[in-house]
């Protein structure tokens, strides 16, 4: 590793007090380049290769986008799904700090890290999609503010929230490096100032963190729902099963619903990768909350369908109708009942399957709204993402996992293990 | 099914008008174009012969587009497909079968409709699209970040993108000749170039009057429908036709402005920042309350 670790731990006592009743988090001590990681790296490099190609030769060279389908996989998956799946950060934050469920403290840091990386990669993914990516800062300039634009609100909230996430994560960095700053070579003269800075940050942040935690929740509610408002502007293009004025409420409630399944999914994958036992002690009670959250989404969705009478489309033989059955009927309602069952909640396998199903359901839901149930006025054939588009999307997911791995190796994110089993 | 769909749109219009209730007066003004000075063009499709002079004139006036030789505009084979505007063609003429009279084909010219309540303007994240007081909807390439949300928003699917341009791609659409002609007091290039005088340029209100007169005087020639008078809150470009507008590729649209669906939601969420602040206070309150409760409990336990 690049980061040298000093062996002595002068601050351990202090930290133990700080983490008090909770289980301590610690860097993972495992070999970094396992065979799995090598495959992951290959996938990541391939995807980024396509991304680079798009940057040099333009959108047309890699994507199947056209004047009819202007938004495609990169918006539906990398951005819309990415934001939804990163909801774990604010939902666990709210759970632990606002609703005071200290029991779930152990999952807080991994959830926060996932959110942080998720949003960072939403930004990176968006850069590949924007025609003039170098203008991404424009929405932040007051004379270009456009308060009528839904996208403007999404952009601003995501931008601010990303910063809030970095602040929320700062204590983890402080914890790791206070008293252990050891910069290489020339920079070593900065060791002391950096250390002082970290201590200062740690001190201040410890006192005002609640401001950011609540802000994170508010910002998340705003942009998660506004993502759903985006396509409301296209009533004549979006299939009636998906066009609804309640769409922002659907997006918000389903994102809140997917936050915890995502935490479960990710925690189990991490345990598997590091050869640990899944922490059912935390995950099972966590899963108990999920049906209430997904339930709100299902209730809203069905209620809206009855109110607007759009159930008449359920049995037409069209792609949107089929998608509805798959993403809602199969991948939302079924996991809902799975999370209801206490047997499944106690079984690592059942829990993992339920969480995975709902996560895929959310991905399909967002994709359906953005390009599958979306039929532009003069579209002659449907948009099917090109190979390069899939490659970049998958590559970015691989990159998230890669960076996650780097982070948990350096920083105390995952719960400490007494011995490596 | 199509019947259902129509019902759905009716419902949709209903919900939309509910939302717009507060803005009812404004929406009404839409039909006259928001201001009496709103300009427009009336296109009488029954007169069009498909000579594509307008396409050529448009290519000549917009000098930043690649210059196309005159022969391209005489090539009739383009009519074999249904064309749409491209980044390098702000207007296209299409040919349609005439059900009533097989011998005489129908033609229709398409370009940006210059909506009175433009969806592209409402959607754009940086305000790159703006509607000028005279009704022209124009684009500022410098501001644009290339997110293409405007293209998803436009109910007429007008804006085209330079997907092949890696560094400086722009959204492209008809400018209403705003800079080159209107601001100099001249009429749009395509309008002037038309040998059949298919298009008439003028104040939108006058054009609507003129269209109504035409419909009244030759009711066998025109359907009693001015496309663009009310569609999505009104458009600057208005069309007359002898056949149903769907048959010549004009989408069937409701009368409510499209931004009328998103903007009320948007503004409700941000009304004086009250909802976000309210949520913030509420969450803060819960946090404070639960923390206090816990502390009290701890104290009790300690005693
Ligand atoms: S037709 Fe489309 S591009 Fe033209 S003004 Fe209306 S919304 Fe904008
Ligand atoms: S592509 Fe450009 S003009 Fe269109 S919405 Fe995005 S920033 Fe605005
Ligand atoms: S108004 Fe001008 S830009 Fe628009 S189609 Fe006519 S010539 Fe082209």
């Amino acid at each position: 590793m690049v980061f040298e670790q000093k062996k002595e731990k002068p601050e351990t006592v202090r930290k133990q007090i700080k983490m008090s009743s909770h289980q301590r988090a610690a860097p993972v001590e495992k070999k970094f380049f396992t065979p799995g990681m090598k495959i992951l790296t290959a996938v990541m490099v391939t995807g980024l290769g396509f991304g680079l190609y798009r940057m040099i030769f333009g959108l047309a060279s890699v994507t199947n986008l056209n004047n009819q389908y202007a938004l495609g996989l990169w918006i539906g998956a990398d951005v819309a799904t990415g934001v939804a799946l990163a909801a774990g950060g604010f939902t666990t934050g709210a759970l632990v700090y606002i609703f005071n469920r200290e029991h779930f403290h152990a999952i807080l840091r991994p959830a926060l890290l996932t959110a942080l990386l998720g949003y960072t990669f939403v930004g990176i993914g968006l850069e590949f999609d924007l025609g003039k990516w170098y203008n991404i800062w424009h929405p932040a300039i007051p004379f270009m503010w456009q308060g009528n634009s839904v996208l403007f609100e999404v952009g601003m909230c995501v931008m601010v929230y990303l910063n809030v996430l970095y602040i929320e994560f700062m204590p983890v960095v402080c914890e790791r490096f206070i008293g252990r700053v050891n910069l290489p070579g020339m920079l070593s003269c900065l060791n002391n100032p950096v250390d002082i800075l970290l201590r200062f940050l740690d001190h201040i942040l410890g006192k005002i963190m609640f401001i950011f935690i609540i802000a994170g929740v508010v910002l998340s509610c705003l942009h998660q729902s506004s993502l759903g408002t985006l396509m409301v502007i296209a009533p004549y293009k979006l299939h009636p099963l998906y066009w609804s004025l309640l769409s922002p409420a659907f997006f918000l409630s389903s994102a809140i619903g997917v936050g915890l399944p995502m935490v479960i999914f990710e925690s189990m994958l991490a345990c598997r990768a590091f050869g640990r036992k899944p922490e059912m002690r935390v995950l099972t009670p966590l899963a108990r909350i999920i049906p209430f959250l997904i339930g709100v989404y299902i209730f809203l969705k069905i209620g809206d369908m009855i109110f607007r009478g759009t159930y008449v489309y359920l049995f037409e033989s069209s792609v949107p109708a089929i998608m509805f059955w798959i993403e809602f009927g199969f991948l939302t309602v079924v996991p809902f009942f799975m999370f209801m069952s206490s047997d499944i909640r106690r079984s690592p396998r059942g829990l993992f399957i339920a969480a995975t199903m709902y996560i895929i359901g959310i991905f399909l839901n967002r994709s359906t709204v953005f390009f599958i149930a979306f039929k532009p006025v003069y579209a002659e054939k449907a948009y099917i993402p090109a190979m390069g588009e899939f490659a970049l999307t998958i590559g970015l997911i691989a990159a998230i996992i890669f960076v996650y791995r780097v982070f948990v190796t350096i920083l105390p994110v995952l719960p400490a293990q007494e011995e490596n089993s | 099914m199509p019947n259902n769909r129509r019902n759905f749109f009716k419902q949709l219009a209903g919900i939309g008008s509910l939302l717009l209730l507060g803005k009812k007066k404004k929406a009404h003004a839409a039909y006259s174009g928001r201001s009496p000075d709103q300009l427009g063009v009336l296109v009488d499709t029954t007169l069009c012969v498909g000579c594509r002079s307008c396409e050529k004139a448009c290519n000549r006036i917009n000098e930043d587009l690649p210059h196309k030789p005159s022969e391209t505009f005489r090539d009739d084979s383009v009519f074999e497909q249904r064309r749409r505007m491209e980044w390098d063609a702000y207007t296209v003429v299409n040919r349609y079968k005439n059900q009533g009279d097989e011998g005489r084909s129908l033609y229709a010219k398409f370009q940006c409709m210059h909506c009175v309540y433009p969806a592209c303007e409402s959607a754009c994240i940086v305000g790159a699209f703006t509607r000028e007081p005279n009704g022209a909807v124009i684009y500022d390439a410098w501001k644009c970040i290339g997110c293409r949300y405007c293209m998803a928003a436009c109910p007429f699917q007008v804006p085209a993108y330079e997907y092949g341009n890696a560094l400086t791609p722009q959204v492209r659409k008809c400018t209403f000749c705003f800079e080159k002609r209107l601001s100099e007091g001249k009429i749009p290039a395509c309008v002037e170039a038309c040998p059949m005088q298919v298009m008439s340029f003028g104040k939108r209100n006058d054009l609507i009057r003129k269209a109504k007169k035409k419909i009244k005087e030759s009711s066998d020639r025109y359907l009693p429908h001015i496309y663009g008078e009310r569609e999505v809150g009104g458009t600057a470009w208005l069309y007359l036709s002898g056949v149903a507008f769907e048959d010549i590729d004009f989408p069937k649209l409701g009368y409510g402005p499209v931004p009328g669906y998103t903007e009320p939601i948007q503004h409700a969420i941000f009304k004086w920042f009250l909802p976000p602040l309210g949520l913030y206070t509420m969450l803060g309150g819960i946090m404070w309350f639960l923390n206090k409760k816990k502390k009290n409990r701890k104290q009790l336990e300690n005693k």
Side-chain angles (χ1 to χ4, degrees):
Chain A
M1 290 309 321
V2 206
F3 290 78
E4 267 177 64
Q5 232 167 300
K6 273 191 188 172
K7 278 293 163 245
E8 69 270 34
K9 293 180 177 172
E11 294 277 316
T12 353
V13 184
R14 196 185 72 91
K15 228 156 296 137
Q16 262 160 9
I17 296 166
K18 201 169 143 200
M19 300 287 296
S20 64
S21 57
H22 321 301
Q23 198 180 2
R24 236 168 55 79
V28 173
E29 286 161 21
K30 273 237 144 186
K31 200 170 141 236
F32 190 78
F33 272 106
T34 56
M37 283 299 282
K38 284 186 189 141
I39 299 173
L40 198 73
T41 313
V43 173
M44 176 173 98
V45 171
T46 315
L48 294 182
F50 277 101
L52 193 68
Y53 194 84
R54 170 262 173 270
M55 284 304 187
I56 300 172
F57 298 105
L59 281 163
S61 64
V62 171
T63 70
N64 275 347
L65 296 173
N66 51 44
N67 289 335
Q68 299 294 316
Y69 287 94
L71 308 178
L73 183 72
W74 290 348
I75 293 299
D78 305 10
V79 176
T81 311
V83 167
L85 295 189
F90 90 90
T91 45
T92 41
L95 203 60
V96 174
Y97 287 118
I98 299 178
F99 295 100
N100 226 312
R101 298 291 168 86
E102 298 239 328
H103 182 62
F104 300 122
H105 209 283
I107 53 157
L108 194 62
R109 286 186 174 182
L112 190 57
L113 178 60
T114 321
L116 181 104
L117 296 180
Y119 275 94
T120 307
F121 276 86
V122 164
I124 295 174
L126 183 64
E127 281 293 52
F128 288 105
D129 187 78
L130 289 184
K132 288 192 181 177
W133 47 271
Y134 44 82
N135 279 350
I136 194 169
W137 50 280
H138 276 186
I141 308 305
F143 76 85
M144 284 187 262
W145 282 355
Q146 216 283 79
N148 288 333
S149 168
V150 182
L151 193 59
F152 169 69
E153 193 231 309
V154 174
M156 288 302 268
C157 285
V158 169
M159 223 183 308
V160 179
Y161 183 49
L162 189 57
N163 287 300
V164 169
L165 277 172
Y166 279 101
I167 295 172
E168 284 183 28
F169 196 70
M170 207 52 210
V172 181
V173 180
C174 294
E175 181 185 318
R176 167 69 178 79
F177 289 109
I178 285 179
R180 278 185 265 170
V181 182
N182 189 11
L183 297 166
M186 296 266 287
L187 294 172
S188 60
C189 59
L190 290 176
N191 278 351
N192 263 339
V194 172
D195 193 64
I196 294 171
L197 180 73
L198 286 179
R199 276 169 206 273
F200 175 72
L201 275 178
D202 199 32
H203 180 75
I204 297 279
L205 285 180
K207 290 206 166 130
I208 55 168
M209 189 51 90
F210 72 96
I211 298 180
F212 295 106
I213 305 264
I214 307 179
V217 178
V218 174
L219 286 165
S220 294
C221 289
L222 288 176
H223 71 258
Q224 294 283 6
S225 60
S226 291
L227 268 176
T229 322
L230 278 178
M231 285 298 152
V232 172
I233 205 165
Y236 305 105
K237 304 184 199 177
L238 197 54
H239 191 276
L241 274 175
Y242 285 92
W243 188 94
S244 164
L245 289 172
L246 279 188
S247 179
F250 300 156
F251 269 58
L252 177 61
S253 56
S254 60
I256 293 178
V258 83
L260 301 183
M262 192 64 194
V263 170
I264 291 175
F265 175 78
E266 177 226 311
S267 152
M268 287 187 143
L269 276 189
C271 287
R272 197 165 167 168
F274 301 131
R276 301 172 170 189
K277 277 222 180 74
E279 299 188 60
M280 299 307 287
R281 196 174 47 81
V282 181
L283 300 185
T284 301
L286 193 66
R288 246 179 76 89
I289 310 172
I290 299 174
F292 296 99
L293 305 176
I294 304 186
V296 174
Y297 171 50
I298 294 177
F299 174 79
L300 285 173
K301 193 103 180 180
I302 293 179
D304 170 74
M305 192 148 76
I306 294 170
F307 178 73
R308 290 190 305 129
T310 47
Y311 47 79
V312 295
Y313 300 103
L314 281 180
F315 299 100
E316 71 176 23
S317 57
S318 68
V319 180
I322 295 168
M323 284 310 293
F324 190 88
W325 282 107
I326 298 177
E327 66 89 8
F328 189 72
F330 180 58
L331 293 172
T332 301
V333 177
V334 174
F336 168 74
F337 284 110
M338 288 173 78
F339 284 120
M340 293 265 271
S341 141
S342 67
D343 286 343
I344 291 183
R345 283 203 304 266
R346 273 196 292 269
S347 124
R349 191 182 199 155
L351 205 52
F352 185 75
I353 293 175
T356 312
M357 281 173 75
Y358 186 50
I359 290 168
I360 298 175
I362 290 295
F363 162 65
L364 289 182
N365 172 269
R366 301 306 194 255
S367 304
T368 310
V369 171
F370 280 89
F371 57 84
I372 300 177
F374 184 81
K375 190 175 180 308
V377 194
Y378 299 98
E380 270 160 9
K381 57 182 190 334
Y383 155 82
I384 294 167
M387 200 186 61
E389 293 181 82
F390 281 117
L392 179 68
T393 299
I394 296 170
L396 287 175
I397 298 171
I400 296 187
I401 303 174
F402 186 92
V403 182
Y404 182 92
R405 183 76 197 240
V406 173
F407 268 65
V408 298
T409 308
I410 299 174
L411 297 168
V413 172
L414 295 177
Q417 291 291 94
E418 280 69 41
E419 88 290 6
N420 284 341
S421 52
Chain B
M1 274 310 134
N3 221 356
N4 279 333
R5 214 172 237 259
R6 204 151 302 145
N7 274 342
F8 164 73
F9 281 126
K10 247 191 232 148
Q11 243 173 335
L12 195 135
I15 300 171
S17 55
L18 256 178
L19 276 180
L20 281 171
L21 218 68
K23 297 186 176 170
K24 199 87 192 227
K25 275 212 186 91
K26 250 197 202 161
H28 230 80
Y31 305 137
S32 70
R34 266 161 105 171
S35 85
D37 291 330
Q38 155 98 45
L39 298 173
V41 172
L42 176 64
V43 186
D44 184 342
T45 57
T46 63
L47 298 174
C48 182
V49 293
C51 71
R52 297 172 66 211
S53 306
C54 52
E55 285 188 32
K56 184 173 153 190
C58 184
N59 182 261
R60 297 293 181 267
I61 192 85
N62 292 297
E63 285 150 346
D64 53 333
L65 297 182
H67 180 96
K68 292 180 191 160
S70 301
E71 299 89 75
T72 27
F73 298 104
R74 276 183 241 124
D75 176 10
D76 268 4
S77 67
V78 293
F79 287 131
E80 276 149 32
Q81 296 158 15
R82 173 172 83 178
R83 292 182 302 152
R84 288 297 296 166
M85 283 75 84
E86 275 297 333
W87 71 270
D88 59 350
Y90 294 170
T91 181
V92 294
V93 180
N94 280 340
R95 182 166 71 195
Y96 298 92
K97 254 220 177 84
N98 190 345
Q99 307 296 357
D101 179 1
E102 293 282 336
R104 258 194 73 244
S105 290
L106 298 171
Y107 297 91
K109 170 193 189 293
F110 296 89
Q111 73 296 307
C112 169
M113 301 290 286
H114 295 276
C115 305
V116 175
Y117 291 100
C120 56
E121 180 196 37
S122 167
C124 180
I125 180 167
V126 287
F129 276 115
T130 42
R131 179 183 170 278
E132 294 296 318
N134 66 9
V137 179
I138 57 171
Y139 167 75
D140 180 347
W142 184 83
K143 286 184 179 172
C144 176
I145 66 171
C147 64
R148 308 184 302 283
Y149 181 38
C150 50
M151 300 170 67
C154 171
F156 300 97
Q157 206 69 44
V158 164
Y161 201 63
E162 291 178 53
Y163 287 105
N165 183 340
L167 259 190
T168 54
Q170 292 185 26
V171 178
R172 301 280 196 163
K173 72 166 196 69
C174 154
T175 61
F176 213 155
C177 287
F178 178 75
E179 246 168 54
K180 297 240 170 68
R181 312 269 310 180
L182 293 198
S183 55
E184 290 169 13
K186 296 189 202 144
I187 68 173
C190 54
V191 176
E192 189 178 76
C194 178
M196 303 303 291
Q197 277 154 25
V198 169
M199 292 164 271
S200 16
F201 174 82
K203 293 239 167 84
R204 188 171 178 274
N205 286 346
D206 299 341
L207 293 174
I208 291 175
R209 233 168 283 135
K210 180 172 171 179
K212 285 194 174 142
K213 207 171 127 210
K214 273 190 168 188
I215 291 173
K216 205 163 150 198
E217 278 167 9
S218 19
S219 56
D220 48 340
R221 191 179 174 100
Y222 303 107
L223 287 183
H225 178 183
I226 309 169
Y227 190 93
E229 184 192 4
R230 283 162 178 260
E231 273 77 9
V232 290
T235 59
W237 284 62
L238 306 160
Y239 282 80
L240 283 177
S241 163
V243 298
F245 279 100
E246 289 100 289
D247 295 344
I248 52 172
D249 273 345
F250 284 86
K252 189 161 178 55
L253 302 172
Y255 293 163
V258 179
Y261 297 113
T262 47
E263 286 183 10
I265 300 180
Q266 189 68 1
H267 295 157
I269 293 178
F270 277 99
K271 193 115 199 183
W272 299 307
F273 275 92
L274 276 185
L277 285 177
L279 182 62
Y280 195 101
T281 323
M282 195 183 82
L283 291 172
I286 295 175
M287 192 174 182
W288 175 80
F289 177 75
L290 292 177
N291 257 325
K292 207 176 107 174
K293 220 169 84 177
K294 195 177 72 183
K295 262 192 207 132
N296 287 346
R297 207 172 48 227
K298 278 221 176 102
Q299 267 166 9
L300 277 179
E301 278 166 14
N302 286 346
K303 261 177 206 168

